[in-house]
Amino acid sequence: MKKIFVSILLCLPMLAMAQNWETVESNSQKTTTQKTKAASTKEYVYARYCGNVVPVVDGQVMWEKDFTNNLSAEENYNHMLEFLTAMTKEEIQFESSKISIVNKAEHKIVCHFEEWLTFTNKFLSLDRTRMIYTLTCDCYDNKVNVKIFRISYWYEEERDGGNRYKAEEWITDENALNKKHTRLMKITGKFRRCTVDRMEEIFNNIIISYQKS
């Protein structure tokens, strides 16, 4: 009995120490965990670009949106002509961006845009492409219809003329997503992501322009 009591007393310090023990992650484990968290966050942020976000109509990539309001066709025409004229003068636009043709009687506007689409802009690292597209605007009583199509890219044009791509062969689900359509491809994915953002920006700017008028 005395031996058992002594043994228990000897174990007590060890039990007390055990309560303060904890596992320690190695630096490699921490790094792996951080990378996994970063990758998961990035995939979560980019998840929305893997959905049905690049519309294809009759084999052509085309964004289209109607904007309803209480204005007449002529008022909508004047408003959109002013908005699109201002858009051709944005800092990201090339001099070739312009109002191509108009039909005042039918309240139609056709524009040609060439602008910088920036992927990343960091210290000593600028990755961007020229994006070229056609924008048409049809104005009616109480409604404006805007289409953006004939989208193409001129990438790294300063390097031996660069490379040219059409949206249909570059940013569609088949070309910009993995086989399971769960991730963006490294190169084409950035074109898809930034194009989607730009199209949304244009449409949002139109809404804001009407709210301010």
Side-chain angles (χ1 to χ4, degrees), residues 58-199:
D58 297 328
Q60 183 178 31
V61 172
M62 177 188 296
W63 269 267
E64 180 177 8
K65 188 174 180 64
D66 289 331
F67 302 87
T68 57
N69 52 57
N70 297 319
L71 302 180
S72 67
E74 184 176 0
E75 288 173 324
N76 275 321
Y77 172 83
N78 291 333
H79 178 90
M80 288 305 300
L81 184 61
E82 181 180 355
F83 172 84
L84 293 169
T85 300
M87 185 173 158
T88 64
K89 299 175 182 178
E90 291 176 341
E91 186 177 354
I92 61 172
Q93 301 295 334
F94 285 78
E95 291 185 2
S96 49
S97 295
K98 62 182 180 180
I99 307 294
S100 301
I101 53 174
V102 298
N103 187 324
K104 191 172 182 179
E106 296 183 9
H107 308 110
K108 297 178 181 294
I109 307 169
V110 179
C111 308
H112 173 82
F113 284 100
E114 296 190 26
E115 63 184 48
W116 284 120
L117 190 67
T118 301
F119 306 128
T120 56
N121 187 4
K122 300 178 181 179
F123 180 68
L124 297 179
S125 177
L126 176 61
D127 186 18
R128 63 184 182 179
T129 185
R130 185 192 303 224
M131 182 169 68
I132 306 162
Y133 58 92
T134 296
L135 186 153
T136 64
C137 179
D138 294 289
C139 302
Y140 309 92
D141 290 336
N142 307 319
K143 187 180 78 171
V144 170
N145 174 267
V146 175
K147 294 186 181 75
I148 302 175
F149 55 101
R150 293 177 187 163
I151 304 169
S152 62
Y153 310 94
W154 189 357
Y155 188 46
E156 295 183 330
E157 54 189 272
E158 70 282 358
R159 297 185 181 180
D160 299 324
N163 298 293
R164 294 175 182 262
Y165 309 104
K166 293 182 179 180
E168 290 75 19
E169 64 186 15
W170 207 240
I171 66 169
T172 57
D173 293 357
E174 294 76 14
N175 296 292
L177 302 178
N178 63 352
K179 291 182 179 180
K180 294 182 179 180
H181 290 187
T182 56
R183 290 185 183 180
L184 292 172
M185 301 296 285
K186 184 176 181 180
I187 302 299
T188 54
K190 66 183 180 182
F191 282 79
R192 178 185 175 102
R193 173 173 54 83
C194 291
T195 301
V196 170
D197 287 345
R198 177 55 177 160
M199 296 302 112

Side-chain angles (χ1 to χ4, degrees), residues 35-47:
K35 287 183 178 179
T36 301
K37 288 182 179 179
S40 299
T41 301
K42 186 175 182 180
E43 287 179 15
Y44 174 77
V45 171
Y46 289 168

